[in-house]
């Protein structure tokens, strides 16, 4: 038999541990459920990751559809480039958030979801506004397209760096007088606060294990990568699974897996297998690049760099500072949850957080991945970097990529900066040793 | 003698520096980068080894010391003869290669006349070679490709006319060969070449060796010093394509930082404008990089930008700076985008603006972009060092001085005549430290 080897052989399958496989299964199951929601008479709510009210939506038997996650999935599957171009054809500028353009482009091309099946039109757009203005514009565009109702849930920005009782009561009032009644009307389901309590109880349980996993990176070597691997870990809790038994199971399972890695003294799993020796421990700020995700990740693990903490894994909630959904204060805790997400925090809070991470996780320094098309994250990043550098005395570096626009990933440029940064850390260590 | 080698594989040129154990640079070599970085690295380090020999000769002959006035002349003559020998060797190689090309089908029909034409052309090239390396002779470039190329064209034109054959066929044989020759690092034993150079020189001028001692013997003893390559570090864009293992590679950001520190220990901020990128680097008192910023994926405002402009204006790259210097009313060009700059340039030319004013404006635009990168990296602290190819461009330097002064006040600005070697210098120091540690 003749075997014809094409000029482009497929890259070897990425190595996944059991939890990653499971996570993937969950995501796929969710997309299948979403695609067939209308057949089962379920209503669909489009909503954003930061500050999403999944437990509340479940009270109305609604399925949630997260446009950012769709964009990410399309980025990972190398579909987003075409979608972004499509949106640009429709007149959206090169500078617009590429999540938005990927989403718009996907709609223009028939709204085929990442699983190859058409996504249903939303019945409601639930906008929990947490720090990014783009959200509003994005849903304005979607509203025009779907002509469905939009609910605006306003989260006050933590400009002063703290949550006040006024903020919470303002938000609870919105929930009572606006959000819940509208969701009742749209779904035809009566709101039952005990049902919400039950979901919140489940959320908190999963959140405990989730935090445990993220904090396991304090071990040396770190058993997880809290940025690249972290993307997988946040999927269920930031997506459609918070409040479900599935999420509890997943995080229990994940935790056991990580416990085992610690026991065996292992580092993180990478797409190429177990990571080699841990040489650099980093804190990363800013979203990753999804179109070249694996290549990007490889630039780290090839050098023995592991991310021990990242702000990105807090965009859907900052649980590691103690917040848990609370069944005893259901509406209040939904409000607190939204107030706490990373994008809703002011710059000094973000700086404190990064400084903390560097100290607590014994990191070698801070790396910022500045996203060209995300103004929400990028504003103030250089300033944050300087401040963290000053406070910790640890070196920091800056790279620039994009979320899901493959045209804005220059591998040579990124690699050059990363290598320089790793060597900078090395040099600093040698310098200190020399001085000692 | 233990030596340490640093090689900087830039996008346009490849540089090598040879350092001794006392941290003294004993040799520098440069060549144009090619698609084949491995060859470029070999050629550049060979050049550095040759240069190192001359350093050793200089030491042996006590050049520069009082009472040894004659030895400087001797050394200069030796260098000219050595370069001539090198040139002639490569010329032989080129001729052979050209002849081999004629075996191709394309040349079959006129192989005979072509062969003859090549014989004549190369005879003429060889005949005039000595004058190219005569005392006081000016060469536009030291790269074989440039020297041989321009002379070949001149003679080919004449010969084709005389013989009544198609010029493009002759040139074709050359074009096909030059890359091959260029990619073949000069072979042969170096010491032997030096000896031949001495012999050739003495044959031509037996008085050359009269003077402060037995020059030939001194050269001979200097040749006896073994240059042991103890450790090598590579840097620059081409570094990853080389068969260096990881320990032998350092990023150019670190190398530029360290190299600048070695040239000017007081320097805290370094700007490097290379062919493909612009970097603002902050270093501490030990030359350790504290922070850096560089251009993103877009290379507008880097060295290549000047190349585009030169093409656009139909000028040589090195003519841009001097022309821009003639301007005292720089045009305000706001775009550092290469494509836009081209359009803006044509626009303004058609409006009758002066070329020098437009060029001065373009230089300013580049420097403005560099200033933004520097400020993002933490601004300018005394002393400031400017490295990279663009540091040779006086118009760029003028704008830089102005803008630094406006933005940061009085700071010392260092520009080293050997600034092109900054990255290689840093790399060689990394090599030295790797062994010393
Ligand atoms: S936070 Fe950034 S990525 Fe997210 S929607 Fe806003 S602009 Fe886009």
């Amino acid at each position: 038999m003749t075997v014809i080897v094409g000029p482009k052989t497929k890259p070897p399958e990425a190595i996944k541990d059991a939890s990653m496989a499971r996570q993937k299964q969950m995501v796929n199951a969710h997309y299948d459920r979403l695609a067939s929601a209308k057949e089962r008479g379920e209503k669909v709510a489009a909503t954003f990751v930061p500050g999403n009210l999944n437990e509340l939506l479940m009270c109305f038997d609604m399925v949630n559809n997260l446009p950012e996650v769709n964009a990410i999935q399309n980025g990972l599957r190398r579909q987003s480039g075409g979608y972004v171009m499509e949106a640009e054809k429709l007149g959206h500028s090169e500078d617009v958030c590429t999540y938005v353009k990927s989403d718009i482009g996907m709609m223009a091309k028939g709204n085929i979801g990442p699983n190859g099946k058409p996504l249903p039109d939303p019945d409601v757009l639930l906008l929990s506004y947490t720090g990014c203005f783009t959200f509003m514009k994005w849903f304005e565009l979607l509203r025009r397209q779907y002509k469905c109702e939009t609910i605006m849930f306003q989260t006050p920005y933590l400009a002063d760096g703290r949550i006040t009782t006024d903020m919470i009561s303002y938000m609870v009032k919105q929930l009572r007088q606006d959000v819940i009644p509208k969701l009742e009307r749209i779904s035809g389901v009566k709101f039952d606060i005990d049902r919400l309590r039950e979901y919140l109880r489940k959320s908190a349980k999963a959140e405990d294990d989730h935090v445990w996993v993220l904090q396991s990176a304090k071990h040396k070597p770190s058993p997880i990568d809290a940025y690249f691997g972290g993307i997988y870990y946040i999927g269920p809790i930031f997506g459609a699974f918070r409040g479900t038994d599935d999420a509890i199971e997943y995080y229990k399972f994940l935790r056991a897996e990580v416990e085992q890695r610690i026991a065996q003294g292992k580092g993180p799993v990478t797409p190429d297998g177990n990571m080699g020796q841990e040489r650099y421990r980093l804190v990363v700020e800013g979203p990753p690049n999804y179109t070249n995700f694996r290549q990007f990740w490889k630039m780290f693990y090839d050098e023995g760099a592991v991310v021990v903490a990242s702000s990105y894994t807090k965009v859907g909630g900052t649980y590691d500072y103690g917040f848990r959904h609370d069944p005893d204060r259901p509406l209040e805790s939904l409000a607190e949850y939204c107030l706490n997400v990373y994008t809703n925090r002011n710059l000094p809070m973000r700086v404190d957080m990064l400084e903390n991470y560097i100290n607590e996780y014994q990191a070698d320094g801070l790396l910022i991945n500045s996203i060209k098309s995300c103004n929400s994250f990028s504003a103030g990043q250089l300033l944050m970097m300087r401040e963290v550098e000053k406070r910790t005395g640890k070196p920091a570096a800056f790279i620039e990529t994009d979320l899901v626009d493959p045209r804005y990933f220059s591998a040579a440029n990124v690699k050059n900066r990363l290598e320089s940064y790793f060597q900078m850390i090395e040099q600093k260590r040698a310098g200190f040793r020399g001085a000692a | 003698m233990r030596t340490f080698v640093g090689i900087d594989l830039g996008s346009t040129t490849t540089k090598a520096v040879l350092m001794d154990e006392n941290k003294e640079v004993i040799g520098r070599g440069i060549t144009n980068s090619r698609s084949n970085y491995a060859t470029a690295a070999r050629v550049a380090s060979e050049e550095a080894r040759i240069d190192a020999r001359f350093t050793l000769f200089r030491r042996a002959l006590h050049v520069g010391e009082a009472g040894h006035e004659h030895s400087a002349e001797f050394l200069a003559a030796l260098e000219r003869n050595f370069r001539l020998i090198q040139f002639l060797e490569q010329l032989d190689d080129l001729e052979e290669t050209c002849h081999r090309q004629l075996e191709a089908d394309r040349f079959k029909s006129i192989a005979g006349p072509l062969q003859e034409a090549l014989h004549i052309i190369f005879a003429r090239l060889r005949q005039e070679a000595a004058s190219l390396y005569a005392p006081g002779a000016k060469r536009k470039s030291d790269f074989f490709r440039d020297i041989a190329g321009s002379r070949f064209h001149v003679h080919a034109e004449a010969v084709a006319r005389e013989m009544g054959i198609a010029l493009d066929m002759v040139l074709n044989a050359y074009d096909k060969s030059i890359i091959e020759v260029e990619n073949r690092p000069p072979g042969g034993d170096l010491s032997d070449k030096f000896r031949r150079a001495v012999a050739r020189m003495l044959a031509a001028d037996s008085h050359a060796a009269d003077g402060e001692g037995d020059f030939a013997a001194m050269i001979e003893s200097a040749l006896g010093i073994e240059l042991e390559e103890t450790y090598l570090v590579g840097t620059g864009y081409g570094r990853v394509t080389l068969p260096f293992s990881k320990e032998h590679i350092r990023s150019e950001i670190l190398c530029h930082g360290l190299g600048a520190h070695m040239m000017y220990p007081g320097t805290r901020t370094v700007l490097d404008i290379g062919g493909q990128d612009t970097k603002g680097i902050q270093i501490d008192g030990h030359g350790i990089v504290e922070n850096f910023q560089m251009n993103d994926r877009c290379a507008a405002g880097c060295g290549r930008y000047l190349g585009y402009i030169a093409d656009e204006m139909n000028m040589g790259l090195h003519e841009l700076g001097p022309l821009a210097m003639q301007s005292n009313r720089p045009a305000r060009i706001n775009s550092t985008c290469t494509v836009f700059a081209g359009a803006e340039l044509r626009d303004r030319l058609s409006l009758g603006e002066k070329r020098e004013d437009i060029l001065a404006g373009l230089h300013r635009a580049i420097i403005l972009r560099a200033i933004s990168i520097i400020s993002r990296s933490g601004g300018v602290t005394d002393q400031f060092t400017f490295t990279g190819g663009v540091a040779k461009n006086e118009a760029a330097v003028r704008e830089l001085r102005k803008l630094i002064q406006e933005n940061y006040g009085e700071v010392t600005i260092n520009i080293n005549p050997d600034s092109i070697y900054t990255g290689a210098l840093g790399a060689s120091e990394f090599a030295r430290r790797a062994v010393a540690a």
Side-chain angles (χ1 to χ4, degrees):
Chain A
M1 201 175 75
T2 331
V3 182
I4 299 169
V5 181
K8 262 194 188 161
T9 44
K10 257 182 88 170
E13 238 351 275
I15 292 172
K16 289 196 166 75
D17 49 17
S19 68
M20 281 185 191
R22 191 161 175 158
Q23 189 265 3
K24 200 174 161 193
Q25 246 169 32
M26 287 168 83
V27 172
N28 290 343
H30 176 68
Y31 274 113
D32 285 340
R33 183 175 163 213
L34 196 57
S36 57
K38 294 286 153 89
E39 289 159 31
R40 286 190 314 276
E42 285 178 324
K43 295 264 158 75
V44 172
T47 192
F48 289 110
V49 171
N52 76 69
L53 303 177
N54 196 47
E55 298 90 341
L56 190 68
L57 288 172
M58 291 198 316
C59 293
F60 300 97
D61 298 324
M62 284 187 166
V63 192
N64 93 16
N65 181 17
L66 302 156
E68 298 140 290
V69 176
N70 297 341
I72 291 171
Q73 292 293 338
N74 287 326
L76 289 170
R77 285 159 221 237
R78 300 187 173 272
Q79 299 293 314
S80 58
Y83 292 156
V84 168
M85 303 269 264
E86 192 63 28
E88 287 177 4
K89 251 191 245 168
L90 296 171
H92 295 277
S93 143
E94 201 195 339
D95 298 323
V96 169
C97 167
T98 49
Y99 279 172
V100 179
K101 282 190 293 187
S102 171
D103 193 32
I104 303 274
M106 183 180 76
M107 279 183 334
K109 292 226 163 183
N111 221 10
I112 307 297
N115 60 350
K117 295 176 195 156
L119 290 170
D121 288 0
D123 299 286
V124 60
L125 300 167
L126 173 58
L127 170 55
S128 51
Y129 170 72
T130 47
C132 174
F133 272 105
T134 301
F135 285 169
M136 285 195 239
K137 292 292 162 196
W138 194 345
F139 270 18
E140 270 173 25
L141 292 167
L142 295 194
R143 182 170 58 187
R144 247 214 248 160
Q145 167 86 14
Y146 297 117
K147 309 202 172 34
C148 66
E149 199 150 350
T150 307
I151 306 174
M152 169 83 176
F153 182 42
Q154 169 73 37
T155 308
Y157 185 63
L158 296 189
D160 293 332
R162 57 197 188 94
I163 296 175
T164 63
T165 48
D166 279 353
M167 287 177 181
I168 293 178
S169 50
Y170 166 68
M171 291 182 77
V172 168
K173 197 165 137 196
Q174 289 182 70
L175 286 171
R176 284 222 175 89
Q177 299 183 350
D178 188 44
V179 180
I180 291 173
K182 277 183 179 155
L183 286 173
E184 280 184 323
R185 178 165 46 75
I186 294 163
S187 67
V189 177
K190 185 103 193 72
F191 177 60
D192 172 1
I193 198 150
D194 289 328
R195 209 175 149 189
L196 179 63
R197 286 183 208 277
E198 184 51 29
Y199 291 144
L200 294 181
R201 190 168 294 119
K202 289 184 179 173
S203 292
K205 216 163 165 193
E207 285 157 5
D208 280 341
D209 283 336
H210 169 68
V211 169
W212 186 92
V213 167
L214 289 184
Q215 293 187 337
S216 73
K218 289 183 186 174
H219 279 90
K220 281 187 180 176
S222 168
I224 63 161
D225 184 286
Y227 186 56
F228 296 103
I231 304 299
Y232 295 91
Y233 307 151
I234 59 177
I237 208 156
F238 290 177
F241 290 93
R242 216 178 48 236
T244 67
D245 289 326
D246 280 350
I248 297 179
E249 282 307 309
Y250 168 76
Y251 286 103
K252 219 200 297 176
F253 184 77
L254 174 64
R255 178 174 174 157
E257 195 179 85
V258 174
E259 271 167 351
Q260 207 182 359
R261 298 191 78 79
I262 295 173
Q264 295 166 343
K266 279 191 187 162
V269 173
T270 75
D272 289 335
N274 282 322
M275 202 183 96
Q277 200 205 342
E278 174 182 298
R279 297 176 60 202
Y280 313 103
R281 295 168 66 85
L282 308 177
V283 171
V284 174
E285 144 72 17
N289 166 279
Y290 286 104
T291 45
N292 294 67
F293 190 76
R294 191 164 161 186
Q295 187 187 11
F296 189 35
W297 190 354
K298 192 168 163 58
M299 291 180 190
F300 288 72
Y301 62 74
D302 273 353
E303 299 279 340
V306 54
V307 182
V308 288
S310 70
S311 54
Y312 184 64
T313 48
K314 314 299 172 328
V315 285
T318 50
Y319 301 106
D320 50 352
Y321 285 92
F323 169 80
R324 293 290 180 280
H325 281 94
D326 181 359
D328 295 331
R329 302 166 53 248
L331 298 184
E332 287 79 1
S333 89
L334 285 181
E336 275 173 21
Y337 163 68
C338 293
L339 285 161
N340 262 314
V341 301
Y342 187 69
T343 45
N344 201 49
R345 296 179 160 231
N346 70 3
L347 289 189
M349 290 175 89
R350 296 188 202 186
V351 169
D352 286 345
M353 192 167 169
L354 295 169
E355 179 196 2
N356 244 322
Y357 285 157
I358 289 185
N359 293 331
E360 281 190 18
Y361 289 76
Q362 298 187 39
D364 293 300
L366 171 71
L367 177 77
I368 294 188
N369 181 27
S370 189
I371 298 296
K372 168 162 162 74
S373 70
C374 170
N375 299 321
S376 173
F377 255 99
S378 306
Q381 273 176 334
L382 254 182
L383 197 136
M384 285 161 59
M385 169 172 131
R386 295 253 163 78
E387 187 59 26
V388 172
E389 242 177 340
K390 203 168 80 197
R391 290 196 204 167
T392 62
K394 297 277 167 72
F398 205 78
I399 55 175
E400 290 154 291
T401 71
D402 193 54
L403 302 161
V404 293
D405 186 344
R407 295 168 305 179
Y408 216 90
F409 185 86
S410 162
N413 187 297
V414 173
K415 196 166 162 51
N416 198 0
R417 296 195 208 196
L418 281 178
E419 278 182 16
S420 300
Y421 180 50
F422 298 144
Q423 291 172 11
M424 209 165 117
I425 294 175
E426 201 76 74
Q427 204 185 21
K428 281 228 159 190
R429 283 182 190 152
F432 288 139
R433 244 184 276 133
Chain B
M1 172 177 201
R2 279 157 49 104
T3 65
F4 307 91
V5 189
I7 297 183
D8 179 0
L9 293 136
S11 57
T12 43
T13 52
T14 293
K15 284 80 61 175
V17 160
L18 214 71
M19 181 187 270
D20 68 10
E21 269 172 310
N22 305 320
K23 277 172 88 165
E24 258 179 72
V25 173
I26 56 169
R28 296 189 184 86
I30 184 165
T31 183
N32 40 347
S33 295
R34 316 149 158 88
S35 49
N36 185 345
Y37 275 121
T39 310
R42 282 222 303 282
V43 173
S45 54
E46 170 94 342
E47 284 294 323
R49 272 195 300 276
I50 292 168
D51 191 38
R53 282 293 164 206
F54 279 104
T55 304
L56 295 179
F57 296 158
R58 214 170 296 129
R59 287 180 186 171
L61 267 56
H62 305 281
V63 173
E65 287 174 27
H68 290 271
E69 287 74 24
H70 192 56
S71 47
E73 279 164 46
F74 178 87
L75 206 56
L78 176 62
E79 176 149 19
R80 284 195 306 275
N81 277 283
F82 178 82
R83 293 290 173 201
L84 175 60
I85 286 179
Q86 243 188 339
F87 180 78
L88 288 171
E89 272 182 7
Q90 273 191 294
L91 213 55
D92 288 346
D93 186 7
L94 183 62
E95 180 168 16
E96 249 184 76
T97 315
C98 282
H99 278 292
R100 262 207 306 283
Q101 299 293 343
L102 300 189
E103 288 158 21
D105 282 348
R106 184 159 23 105
F107 298 111
K108 274 244 169 79
S109 55
I110 55 160
L114 273 180
Q115 222 163 27
E116 199 192 325
L118 284 174
H119 278 309
I120 305 175
I121 294 170
F122 277 97
R124 291 185 188 175
L125 278 168
R126 239 177 244 111
Q127 203 175 15
E128 70 172 14
S131 69
L132 290 174
Y133 292 90
K138 289 234 176 321
R139 287 181 300 276
K140 262 198 165 165
S141 156
D142 282 328
F143 296 154
F144 176 74
R145 180 197 191 104
D146 298 338
I147 308 173
S150 65
R151 298 308 301 161
F152 185 94
H153 274 74
V154 172
H155 293 303
E157 227 167 51
V159 172
R161 205 179 325 112
E162 288 160 21
M163 291 181 57
I165 58 169
L167 174 62
D168 58 338
M169 290 301 251
V170 188
L171 294 184
N172 206 285
Y174 167 84
D175 287 340
K176 288 249 166 311
S177 310
I178 185 67
I179 299 177
E180 220 181 282
V181 171
E182 193 181 40
N183 279 336
R184 234 180 333 255
D189 177 38
L190 262 189
S191 300
D192 181 50
K193 268 185 230 180
F194 282 115
R195 285 188 192 109
R196 268 159 43 213
V198 174
R200 184 184 180 107
M201 192 175 128
L202 294 178
D205 180 4
S206 54
H207 298 297
D210 294 348
E212 294 91 13
D214 185 350
F215 285 152
M218 286 169 156
I219 295 287
E220 198 49 52
S221 82
L223 280 176
I225 301 174
E226 202 201 331
L227 291 176
E228 177 203 337
E229 241 178 57
T230 313
Y231 205 88
L232 180 146
V233 163
T235 186
Y237 255 91
R239 64 183 186 270
V240 276
T241 60
L242 275 189
F244 296 157
S245 65
K246 259 211 169 109
E247 311 83 74
H248 292 278
I249 293 177
R250 292 288 181 291
S251 101
E252 66 251 46
I253 287 163
L254 271 78
C255 288
H256 270 96
L258 187 56
H261 167 80
M262 294 174 68
M263 290 173 170
Y264 305 100
T267 201
R268 289 295 176 274
T269 309
V270 183
L271 169 66
D272 173 57
I273 304 188
Q276 310 279 336
D277 52 32
T278 300
K279 317 174 194 85
I281 307 169
Q282 306 288 342
I283 53 175
D284 70 5
H286 304 283
I288 294 180
V289 175
E290 301 252 85
N291 216 322
F292 68 88
Q293 287 287 331
M294 59 188 275
N295 57 298
D296 55 24
R297 62 167 183 169
C298 169
C302 303
R304 270 307 288 152
Y305 172 90
L306 285 173
Y308 283 115
I309 300 299
D311 289 349
E312 192 75 36
M313 289 200 133
N314 227 335
M315 290 170 70
L317 185 58
H318 300 288
E319 296 167 299
L320 293 183
L323 184 55
M325 285 301 279
Q326 289 169 22
S327 157
N328 33 35
R329 287 193 60 242
R332 210 162 245 293
I333 307 244
N334 295 316
S335 179
T336 38
C337 166
T338 313
V339 179
F340 270 135
E344 214 164 324
L345 183 102
R346 284 189 290 274
D347 238 25
R348 285 166 184 265
L349 281 175
S350 69
L351 287 171
E353 284 191 45
K354 286 206 245 147
R355 295 191 337 153
E356 54 264 39
D357 291 343
I358 302 172
L359 271 184
L362 287 168
H363 281 83
R364 185 184 159 83
I366 292 180
I367 298 301
L368 272 173
R369 219 178 127 104
I371 291 275
S372 140
I373 289 173
I374 297 173
S375 69
R376 279 172 10 117
S377 79
V380 172
T381 326
D382 200 28
Q383 304 169 10
F384 171 79
T385 301
F386 183 23
T387 73
V390 180
K392 280 221 170 81
N393 178 318
E394 44 192 332
V397 170
R398 178 177 67 176
E399 287 308 322
L400 182 75
R401 287 189 191 280
K402 239 193 300 189
L403 283 162
I404 295 273
Q405 158 88 30
E406 276 169 29
N407 287 285
Y408 299 99
E410 270 324 315
V411 292
T412 308
I413 297 179
N414 305 314
I415 299 173
N416 195 295
D418 286 322
S419 76
I420 194 153
Y421 291 102
T422 310
L425 176 65
S428 67
E429 170 63 1
F430 275 122
R432 196 191 63 82
R433 288 184 188 177
V435 176

